[in-house]
Amino acid sequence: MFQINENYLQLNQSYLFSTIATKVEKFSSSHFGADLIRLGIGDVTLPLSPAVINALHRAVDEMAAKETFRGYGPEQGYGFLREKIAEIDFRQRGIDISADEIFVSDGSKSDTGNIGDILGDDNVVAITNPVYPVYLDTYIMRIGKSDKLLLLSCNAENGFLPEIPSERVDVIYLCYPNNPTGTVMTKTELKKWVDWALENDALILYDAAYEAYVQDEDMAKSIYEIENAQQCAIEFRSYSKNAGFTGLRCSYTVVPEALKVRTQNGEQVSLHGLWNRRQSTKFNGTAYVVQRAAEAVYSSQGQLEMREMVGYYMHNAKLIRDGLIEKGWTLFGGENAPYIWLKCPGDMDSWTFFDRLLAECHIVGTPGVGFGSAGEGYFRLTAFNSREKTAEAVERIKKWEC
Ligand code: MLT
């Protein structure tokens, strides 16, 4: 009889955002006409910007002509995009990353989920608690529940920043600005992690999907702003939240050439080579038209439009923050991130708060406990809805007697 990967049976029955979607669908079908406001999954609502749309149209036309049609592209991404990324996201900020070190992909969810393919099964892996569920779920899919998985508790007392582990850790996932708590790490804090990783031969998997939301100078947009981080970190970036690509799908992962590890026989191996091998075997590249759209984000018009988009959502975040602070609620995030992390009032648990907010205010959010046990009693709201709906949601919450 064939066997299945039984690790899948150890997972929660469904992915967090699927569970929420099912609950909301059920509510909608029994409350016909309810004007729901969705501040749950971090999905953007503004349309793609004109620079991106024009680039898409041009690329579609190229695909329609015999002379300019493109079939399979390079699995690592087209040079025209990788060069722009290296130049604008890194070199112009004084970071020495070359186009060859960049792997274009279809989303950070895929890459943060797939990176485990090139790592050994015996690593002690640390994730924060609460955490973006993809890191945890993909670990369980690969290894199963294991005492080699450490949860680093993040709470109001430690400012939602994990403490450097005192026990052995080989791999750690860090995400800043953080999903779900919206908190950020200063460069000084991040340097502690880089120094720790270098001293302990550990690997940092750094998810910087929300870097465009960083407003303060003393916060890093890239882990490579920290000296020697190229020797210990892989960074994941996305066009979803800065340029509205959640439906178009494009991201990239930086695997520096300087990132090396010794095998059990003492041979020095580059992770860049392994990831390249993995991608060229299992991935056939991001669509040409999508890569042309991502390239347009780096034009001067594209950069301006991206800043406007981020500014729009940050204004929404401020509306939510101001409204909830006025209501007297305790909250975190929303200043360098599109997520507001609030303490459920009256010591309500996360799912009770979810159900009541949905039933009594017709607002959808995300229960903190869905991101891990340390998220119990907390709740996440996103700033990604329209200005009008966000303002309306804040008014409803302000009037709510809960
Ligand atoms: C979230 O709501 O946490 C994000 O939208 C998830 C994602 O980007 O995959």
Side-chain angles (χ1 to χ4, degrees):
M1 192 167 60
F2 69 90
Q3 293 173 354
I4 53 162
N5 176 351
E6 294 193 12
N7 295 335
Y8 277 68
L9 305 179
Q10 299 179 19
L11 293 163
N12 286 340
Q13 224 175 3
S14 82
Y15 181 57
L16 171 64
F17 293 107
S18 318
T19 309
I20 293 172
T22 309
K23 263 182 168 270
V24 172
E25 208 173 299
K26 199 164 155 211
F27 179 85
S28 297
S29 56
S30 57
H31 295 78
F32 186 70
D35 179 17
L36 284 190
I37 301 182
R38 293 169 196 271
L39 306 180
I41 190 164
D43 196 4
V44 294
T45 50
L46 288 175
L48 294 166
S49 77
V52 169
I53 288 293
N54 289 336
L56 278 170
H57 282 302
R58 282 195 303 271
V60 169
D61 287 342
E62 282 182 61
M63 294 297 264
K66 202 164 58 183
E67 300 71 33
T68 47
F69 167 78
R70 310 267 184 146
Y72 290 128
E75 295 93 355
Q76 303 77 3
Y78 283 99
F80 61 76
L81 177 57
R82 297 168 90 199
E83 287 294 345
K84 288 270 166 43
I85 295 170
E87 180 56 28
I88 296 176
D89 283 349
F90 296 101
R91 284 200 290 265
Q92 286 185 6
R93 294 187 185 160
I95 303 168
D96 184 20
I97 291 288
S98 73
D100 284 351
E101 294 172 300
I102 289 154
F103 294 83
V104 177
S105 173
D106 65 352
S108 292
K109 187 177 184 176
S110 319
D111 284 3
T112 54
N114 291 329
I115 197 74
D117 277 12
I118 63 165
L119 302 175
D121 291 356
D122 285 333
N123 285 313
V124 177
V125 176
I127 59 172
T128 59
N129 179 13
V131 77
Y132 177 44
V134 171
Y135 316 151
L136 173 66
D137 285 0
T138 55
Y139 176 88
I140 295 175
M141 285 172 181
R142 201 164 57 86
I143 310 281
K145 283 189 178 157
S146 153
D147 56 6
K148 293 209 178 86
L149 180 70
L150 276 190
L151 303 185
L152 306 181
S153 191
C154 294
N155 46 49
E157 287 69 50
N158 57 24
F160 295 98
L161 295 179
E163 270 140 44
I164 302 267
S166 46
E167 59 273 74
R168 173 187 148 199
V169 167
D170 304 305
V171 179
I172 179 159
Y173 288 82
L174 293 176
C175 171
Y176 291 96
N178 185 251
N179 181 14
T181 65
T183 51
V184 276
M185 214 182 238
T186 60
K187 286 184 196 166
T188 314
E189 280 293 330
L190 193 53
K191 181 173 175 346
K192 285 188 204 159
W193 282 98
V194 169
D195 291 346
W196 163 84
L198 292 168
E199 269 161 38
N200 292 278
D201 291 326
L203 171 67
I204 300 176
L205 300 174
Y206 194 72
D207 185 348
Y210 300 93
E211 57 76 34
Y213 290 83
V214 169
Q215 316 282 312
D216 296 350
E217 279 300 305
D218 57 347
M219 311 292 175
K221 279 176 169 278
S222 164
I223 194 166
Y224 305 123
E225 287 175 42
I226 311 296
E227 206 181 344
N228 297 327
Q230 272 122 317
Q231 292 164 34
C232 64
I234 290 177
E235 181 164 297
F236 305 93
R237 294 274 197 111
S238 165
Y239 298 96
S240 285
K241 314 294 159 91
N242 58 358
F245 276 46
T246 53
L248 205 54
R249 310 307 307 149
C250 196
S251 68
Y252 66 87
T253 291
V254 186
V255 189
E257 296 277 5
L259 184 52
K260 302 223 159 66
V261 69
R262 282 202 186 279
T263 61
Q264 282 169 3
N265 335 334
E267 188 196 344
Q268 206 179 45
V269 172
S270 125
L271 270 75
H272 180 274
L274 298 189
W275 186 245
N276 189 41
R277 188 70 179 81
R278 191 261 172 218
Q279 289 299 83
S280 41
T281 304
K282 290 197 181 181
F283 183 61
N284 245 345
T286 306
Y288 172 73
V289 294
V290 171
Q291 292 193 59
R292 281 292 184 200
E295 181 194 24
V297 174
Y298 294 99
S299 64
S300 46
Q301 191 199 344
Q303 290 281 287
L304 198 74
E305 290 167 351
M306 181 187 78
R307 281 194 285 274
E308 273 174 13
M309 200 176 266
V310 169
Y312 178 91
Y313 294 131
M314 282 313 288
H315 191 86
N316 287 353
K318 182 165 165 32
L319 283 184
I320 301 174
R321 271 186 65 86
D322 290 352
L324 302 194
I325 287 171
E326 199 183 312
K327 196 168 170 70
W329 286 1
T330 304
L331 51 91
F332 306 86
E335 288 174 309
N336 288 282
Y339 295 126
I340 289 94
W341 183 248
L342 60 100
K343 177 96 191 68
C344 301
D347 284 331
M348 245 182 276
D349 67 72
S350 300
W351 278 111
T352 303
F353 186 79
F354 172 92
D355 288 334
R356 287 197 54 196
L357 191 69
L358 180 60
E360 296 168 38
C361 299
H362 295 176
I363 295 172
V364 182
T366 310
V369 72
F371 298 100
S373 56
E376 180 56 285
Y378 285 89
F379 200 77
R380 194 193 77 174
L381 295 174
T382 83
F384 287 123
N385 212 317
S386 67
R387 177 67 40 79
E388 299 67 33
K389 295 249 186 212
T390 304
E392 166 67 20
V394 171
E395 284 315 305
R396 288 187 198 172
I397 292 176
K398 278 188 359 204
K399 287 191 205 128
W400 187 30
E401 287 174 22
C402 57

